[in-house]
Amino acid sequence: YNLFLNFSLKHMSMINRMLYLNRIVIPAQHKYWQEIINEPKFDNSTPEKVMQSCNSHKEWEHKLTYSLFQQEELIMHLRKLIDDCIALYCVAKQKFNKAGKPLESIGELINQIDKFSEFKKHLYYLKIVNDLSNSLKHSVINPIYIRIGQNEPCVFTVSSKKDKKNSFIYNDLGIA
């Protein structure tokens, strides 16, 4: 059993995941966004107009649906990368939670951010990725909330605030 070999394999997996995102998923997102946003008949002024445009042109609906699936994949991979970085960092630095285990997720890190001052400067970004990931995973509203970034491809999600039925959180992240 070689701990260094396990770190090396995890590191290689993380590099491959980043390469996949940068070479395949992000360029595909940009391509679909360019095709949709540059279509003269496509109206991106409101979510309702986006839906109307998609309903009148089935090929846009398919492109937009495929794009939304890729956005989910992008956020899932990004979340996995950050979770892996947190876990590796905690193992390497021997920083453990109350149960004596290394932290393994963004959520755990956010909840204990005071113990990890080295991550405080990244807290805003970590919260965005965490909120996007959780809303894609748990929110029923997302499939009907269709938006297109105006200046770049973006991921948009909607989630409800905990314990508040009619209060929503809108999350977005540019991916250009």
Side-chain angles (χ1 to χ4, degrees):
Y1 179 76
N2 186 338
L3 185 62
F4 181 73
L5 178 61
N6 287 346
F7 277 119
S8 295
L9 290 173
K10 179 56 86 174
H11 183 257
M12 185 178 66
S13 171
M14 292 167 61
I15 297 295
N16 286 336
R17 190 178 301 274
M18 284 188 284
L19 290 172
Y20 173 72
L21 288 174
N22 285 317
R23 290 182 180 165
I24 296 172
V25 177
I26 292 174
Q29 277 292 292
H30 200 278
K31 176 184 170 239
Y32 281 117
W33 175 77
Q34 284 278 320
E35 289 175 9
I36 291 170
I37 206 77
N38 289 326
E39 176 58 51
K41 297 176 191 167
F42 191 81
D43 188 349
N44 186 30
S45 58
T46 66
E48 294 80 19
K49 296 288 185 182
V50 170
M51 287 299 293
Q52 289 171 357
S53 293
C54 286
N55 287 335
S56 63
H57 296 87
K58 287 296 182 194
E59 69 274 6
W60 296 345
E61 183 180 354
H62 296 300
K63 286 179 184 179
L64 196 56
T65 300
Y66 185 70
S67 176
L68 292 173
F69 289 159
Q70 280 194 323
Q71 289 175 8
E72 288 181 25
E73 180 183 9
L74 173 72
I75 296 303
M76 184 271 307
H77 284 296
L78 192 57
R79 170 70 184 247
K80 177 75 172 133
L81 271 169
I82 295 171
D83 286 347
D84 286 348
C85 285
I86 291 167
L88 285 177
Y89 178 84
C90 288
V91 168
K93 295 290 186 177
Q94 296 186 355
K95 293 193 173 203
F96 303 104
N97 62 19
K98 292 175 185 173
K101 296 181 179 179
L103 302 185
E104 294 182 340
S105 72
I106 296 173
E108 281 185 290
L109 179 67
I110 290 170
N111 291 335
Q112 299 181 39
I113 196 68
D114 291 333
K115 296 178 184 176
F116 296 88
S117 59
E118 56 271 46
F119 287 100
K120 280 187 178 180
K121 64 183 174 185
H122 305 291
L123 183 60
Y124 176 75
Y125 180 72
L126 293 170
K127 283 183 176 180
I128 288 174
V129 173
N130 190 55
D131 290 344
L132 283 168
S133 173
N134 287 339
S135 64
L136 285 170
K137 192 168 37 170
H138 301 295
S139 179
V140 178
I141 302 167
N142 280 317
I144 59 170
Y145 183 66
I146 297 177
R147 301 272 316 197
I148 305 281
Q150 291 188 330
N151 299 317
E152 64 181 336
C154 296
V155 178
F156 295 96
T157 65
V158 179
S159 57
S160 58
K161 291 184 180 181
K162 290 181 181 177
D163 303 324
K164 294 185 180 180
K165 292 180 181 177
N166 296 322
S167 184
F168 299 102
I169 302 169
Y170 296 91
N171 305 295
D172 62 86
L173 178 67
I175 53 177

